């Protein structure tokens, strides 16, 4: 099981990867949304805001359910996603990554991944 520090690092790498996406492509597919990532095996959750400029830094939150896009993933899977060792679509299809969002948000996210 990955620890909290490794998970924060993984979230940072995911944010960096999104920041590297072409600005025009990002602006085409992104609308402002709040995002939470709950890591149940550690009992922690982080929140951020997605916008045309990328992702704000992830901050600890006590209200993961208040976000418009809610991710739930085990600590080891989060690290594997950040390290490109686990495909997001396969993780979602197998239940290792749970995403709660509107269908329109899911379609937008798919285009960015």
């Amino acid at each position: 099981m990955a620890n909290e520090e490794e998970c924060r690092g993984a979230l940072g790498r995911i944010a960096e990867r999104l920041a590297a996406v072409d600005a025009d492509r990002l602006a085409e597919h992104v609308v402002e949304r709040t995002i939470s990532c709950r890591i149940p095996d550690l009992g922690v959750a982080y929140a951020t805001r997605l916008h045309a400029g990328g992702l704000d830094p992830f901050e600890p939150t006590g209200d993961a359910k208040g976000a418009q896009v809610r991710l739930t993933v085990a600590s080891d899977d989060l690290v594997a996603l950040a390290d490109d060792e686990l495909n997001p679509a396969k993780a979602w299809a197998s239940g290792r990554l749970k995403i709660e969002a509107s269908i329109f948000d899911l379609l937008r996210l798919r285009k960015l991944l």
Side-chain angles (χ1 to χ4, degrees):
M1 177 168 72
N3 63 37
E4 192 171 341
E5 183 178 319
E6 292 169 318
C7 289
R8 284 189 65 97
L11 291 170
R13 289 191 300 280
I14 290 169
E16 289 171 4
R17 187 177 316 144
L18 191 59
V21 172
D22 177 67
D24 292 334
R25 181 172 176 228
L26 191 63
E28 179 182 340
H29 296 293
V30 169
V31 293
E32 187 168 321
R33 291 286 182 263
T34 55
I35 298 175
S36 68
C37 180
R38 191 171 68 84
I39 308 165
D41 56 324
L42 296 179
V44 297
Y46 297 93
T48 187
R49 185 177 61 94
L50 175 68
H51 49 85
L55 280 175
D56 289 346
F58 282 90
E59 298 293 336
T61 184
D63 183 23
K65 293 185 179 196
Q68 294 163 310
V69 177
R70 295 168 303 282
L71 310 172
T72 303
V73 63
S75 59
D76 286 338
D77 290 336
L78 176 60
V79 172
L81 285 165
D83 293 339
D84 281 333
E85 296 170 358
L86 179 61
N87 178 289
K90 289 182 181 179
W92 175 76
S94 67
R96 293 169 70 180
L97 170 64
K98 294 180 178 83
I99 304 173
E100 297 175 72
S102 74
I103 188 70
F104 298 111
D105 287 338
L106 288 173
L107 292 172
R108 284 186 199 106
L109 285 172
R110 181 188 63 129
K111 291 178 182 178
L112 288 174
L113 301 174

